[in-house]
Structure formats: C-alpha cells, structure tokens
Amino acid sequence: MKHLISATVENKVGVLARIVGLFSGRGFNIDSLCVGETENPSLSRLTIVVNGDDAILEQVRKQLGKVIDVIKVTDMTGQPYVERDLMLVKINAPPGKRGEILEIVDIFRGKIVDAGLKDVIVELSGTEDKLEAMLKLLQPYGIKEVARTGQIAMLRGTK
Amino acid sequence: MAKTGSQILVDFLVNKGVEYVFGIPGGAVLPLFDALYDSPIKFILNRHEQGAGHAADGYSRATGKVGVCLVTSGPGATNLTTAVATAFMDSVPLVAITGQVKRPLIGNDAFQEADVMGITRSITKHSYLVKDLKDLPRVLNEAFYIASTGRCGPVVIDLPVDVTMECCDGLLPEEINLPGYKPCYQGNPRQIKLAAEAIDKAQRPVVYAGGGIILSGCHRELLEFAEKARLPVTTTLMGLGGFPETHELSLGMLGMHGTPYANYAVTESDLLIAIGARFDDRVTGKLEEFAPHAKIIHIDIDPTSISKNIQVDIPVVGDARSILQELIPQVHYVERKEWFEKILEWKRKYPLSYDNSGEAPKPQYIVEQICEATRGEAIITTEVGQNQMWAAQFYTYTKPRTFISSGGLGTMGYGFPAALGAQLGCPDKTVIDIAGDGSFQMNIQELATAVHYKLPVKVAILNNGYLGMVRQWQELFYKKRYSQTKLDDNPDFVKVAEAYGARGFLVERKQDVRPTLEKALSIKEPVVIDFRIAGEENVFPMVPAGQAIYKMIGSLA
C-alpha cells in the first residue's frame, strides 16, 4: 500500500543518500521525494511517497529513525494530513484552442505562467487527484512536458 | 599554538586513551603517519588492510574498548571494507580512519581515490567526510561516541590529506551535537512489569541470549536472573560465553548447528525471553515453526530488531543490563519440575557427540583437547565454516569475550587477525585461532605481523583439504558434486609458518594431539599447528536451511 513518510533531518551532506539507500537496498522504488529547508535552516524536511508491503515499510521507518542525522520520522498514512503537489505542464495551444484551455485551467484554479506561439505553461498545485484530473482534461490538446515536485505533507492540528 | 590536522587527530587519540592503532600507511595518510611517529600510540603494522580491520575488531571484542584502524585512500579503504562490514553485522565498536585525496581532487578520479562515503554507507553505523579542519575534533568525538553507545558499530572517518596538513590556531569545538541520536538505555517500567508477570506465569520458559549480553556486559545479571527465576538459557553463536555452559541451566547454543536440547526446548517453550539477540535466520530456521507455542519477550537496545523477523508480544527497548537489573527483583522462583525433567531427558538422549574412531584426529576431539589443555580459560577466535561450528560446539565457554567469531557476515579470514588484536588487548591470556585450511589462507600474510610483534597466538588448523562447510552442503544437498571445494594444492603450513619466522607443527595421529598442544602452549611465540583431519567429517547436528529447527539431521541416534 501507498505510504507517505515525513522525516525531519539534519541539513548535512550524505543524509539523503543514506535515506534513499534504505529504500533502494530493499528494492523499493520511491514514487516521489521532496526535500527542503524548514523553519530552522539547520534542519530539512523530507516527504517520501513509497509503495510496498506494510511490515517491510514499518521496518524501513524504524531504520530511518536509526540514521544518526534523522531527527524524527512520521508515517502519515492513515492520519489526517494536508498534502500538496506542484506541477508545471506545457500544453500544445494553437490560437483557436486557447480559450478552452484557459477555461479548464480556471476550473482547477491553475495559472498560465508562460505563453508562446504554439504552447502555454500552466502551473497548478493541489492534491495528487486534482493534478491528475486536470491532466486528464488537458490530454486531448497535447501535453508536451510535465514537471512535478512530488508531494509535501503536514499533519493536521497541533500535536 | 598552531596544530596541523594530523596533530589534532593524534592528540585526540592519545587523550582518548587509545593504546593501539592498526593499519598500513600510504600516500594520502603520510602526514598522519608523520605525526604518529613521535606519539606514544603503538601502531600495529598489518600486512593487509582487511587484517588491520579484523585485528582492531578482535581487540575490541576481547577488551570491550573501541578498536581503531587507519588506512590510506582508495585501495587501502576498499580493502578495509570487509572488516568494516564484519564489525557492522556483529555490532562491534570500531573507528576506521581512511585517508582521502585532497579536497579539490575529490570526484576527479584522482590517483588512489575511492568514494569511501558511498562505498561504506550501508555497512557503517555512521560515516563522516571531513571537509573543514574546524569540524575535525567534533567529528572525532562524535565518532567514538556513536561507535560505542546504543547498539555499537563501526564509524568511518574519511579524511582528505590536505585537511590533515592544514594548520589551525587555538582550540576547536569538540562538543557532541547529535540531536537525532539519543540511544535509549532504560527500559519502559510498564513493559518490564509485563515481562516479569509473563515469566512468573510461564510453565516452559527459555531464555534466548545473544551477543547483546556480551556487548552490554550483563553476564552476571543474566546468571542471577536465570538462577532466581529458574530459567534454562540457550545462547546464540554471538552469545557464547555470556552464560556459563557448565551451569545446569545452560542449554548450549541453539540454531542450525545448535544442541538438540536447545532447539527442542525453544520449539516446545511457552515463553521465549530473547535478550540482545536478533532472530537471525541461522537461529530461527523456518520462521513459521520457530517457537510456535511461545509468547515472546524481546529485550534489545535496537528498536529495529524488535518484530523484524518474528512478531514480538512484549518488547522492551533498552540496555540489557539495566533492564535485567530492573527485572530481577520482580521475578520469582518457580520450580517447573516437569519442564526441567523434559530438558534433562533431552540432554541425556541427545548430547552433542561424534565418532572418535580412526587414526586421523577428529576435529571435535581436537577442540575438546584445546579446551582441556587451556582449562577453558583461553580466548578462542575462529574462522568461518566447519572450524567455527566445531569451535562453538566442543569448547566449553564460561566467560564473556572468550569466543570471538564473525557471526553475522561470516567472514573467512577473520579469526587469525582478530586473534592478534585480542592478544594485544589481553597480553596475559592464551589466544587460539581455530582455523580451517581454506580460511587461514585468506589472511595468512598476518603471520608476519604476529612474528614482528612477538604475539604468541596459536593457530590450530583443522586441515581437511576442503572448503569444508561448502563441501558438507554439497554432500548433503548437491549429490556429492564437490564443485570447486577441494583444496588439492594446500601449502605445507609448517614450512609457511617457519618461513615467516613462526613455529610450525604437523599432527597426523590422534595420540599426538594433546602433546603437541601442550608443547605449542609452552612456546611464547606464534605457533601454527597443522592438524590433518578426516576430509569428509561433517558438522552435526544440522538443521537444513529453511527447515524448522527441531528437524535436525545427523548424530541423533
């Protein structure tokens, strides 16, 4: 099953390699991985989306906690959390179709961030489902490129 | 006063009380070796970096101190990796310092460059690449702290040569700053109470004690605990010496080549108390049939060991010693007459045994004779394979840190260099490497080290002319198709020993075993004894891989 794991780690050389190694060494493909600084610049936050057997992922979660530079690990799966994914899509947009494309982008509260003679770039953030839904509607116009950040997530409420 | 990086490192080791450093010099560590030249640290020059790593590891296992080794970049570091992996699998505190090419050249395929951080990542507890001299004192301090606390393990420090040459004025910060590393020593009192209740209630309990007993130094507590609650104790290979095998509560070793009574007791137990053990596949055999009727208590300092292979009912995370100290007052003496009668019956019916007929000395007999000749007081190191299992089965261990063996990784060539380290750490002890003809040749060059430092280590080669354990599996499971296991062209080990300046003896008859051992033990020099044993002797009993541990084959007549 899909797991969304978040880890607070020291912002140091080699931490990411150690973490990724724990997954790759067990033959798990990481679906997405997102790293960035936190409110404390010496700490980074990682969000990992990975599919796999629950028991083995529980073991991986414990192993993550054992990495010296990892401060905290949370498996958010099954808990209430807010997730976001950011996507840029370059779509084929001949002059006659631009209005339609704009309408679709508006429905999803996306933004056109670049326009060329033959194409536009759309920016959209939201849950994975929302991103997938817009991509589906834009498919018929011809998608030239997609770039996504992968999910970031945070548990709801205070803990 | 300005100090170079090299001087900072050497001063740190001296202040830390490091007595021995094992290794080999090379280009990237020249400044370090120059600083060592004037220091009180005794440097042990091994003849291969793997030997240096194992020697540091053996020193650590025999003394409980941190083992330190120092090698050069590139091939020096890659040669060391097997020793680092060995220490990692058996939780041995090791600090391995590897030279690295100078900082501007890193990543440029420079001469003798290897990505040591990358190569060692999955075989170390932690690793450092020191890119800034001002980090060096803190890194050294953290490395020793990480290696020797919690579940111990090796730490690699990769040190670019230009960092060791750089100068620095004034004091540099040494404080440990590890917010993500807080090993937990105290067990949860509620879990301990639950464990105590389960122990008092159990009708057929068994203690399954691992290497954690030795690492945590709680052999006395284990004995007190077992005697107070009257619990039979089986140990793993790594736990040998953690509980006296002469004690009536001892079941000896369990697992693939364990005693039948240990394996039967675990299988029939209603409560398994695992302490500092990790349910390794060589212990459990087929998981579904391992201790099928038992509730499981698991005491371990490493939370990732809990419920890794087997679902645990009462986990207690923390240091075995501190947990046992809490547990002892809460458990009560329960006689469990029926259970002990059953165990006694198994012990009577299925003792470890072997056929001692024939002219050629039997390996089991040799190990028994070594035990008698040393009154069970020696430090035994082993190589890996049949020699290791016979050494585990037929020597009677009563004290911790007297059985030193590569359990997890199973590294052939481990025992001899480890014996050198153990001998340096314990100069008054008799140290014997029980070896095979295959394994011994994997680090035979360390004879030069033994001779140079006048280390009176004894090597007992159980020479069957085979890679014996592999041959045994081929005999039993591959229709005796001995693919690449016959060692036809072994050297004359006596001559090899003599060529290095050590003593060598050949033993071909049973009646010569004891006299030769006595003679060897009286010589205060390295001695190699080439025992020519029967070629196709097997280690029994044996649980075939993946089988339930009560389904043993061999010597159960």
Side-chain angles (χ1 to χ4, degrees), chain B residues 14 24 58 133 202 220 240 264 289 342 357 403 453 464 467 526:
Chain B
V14 172
I24 302 182
L133 179 60
R220 283 185 207 90
L240 287 176
Y264 289 151
E289 293 190 57
K342 200 163 197 182
S357 62
F403 177 77
Y453 296 99
N464 53 13
L467 296 167

Side-chain angles (χ1 to χ4, degrees), chain B residues 99-114:
Chain B
Q100 182 53 279
V101 300
K102 53 186 177 186
R103 284 166 291 183
L105 293 183
I106 292 177
N108 285 9
D109 299 336
F111 177 64
Q112 291 196 327
E113 183 190 359

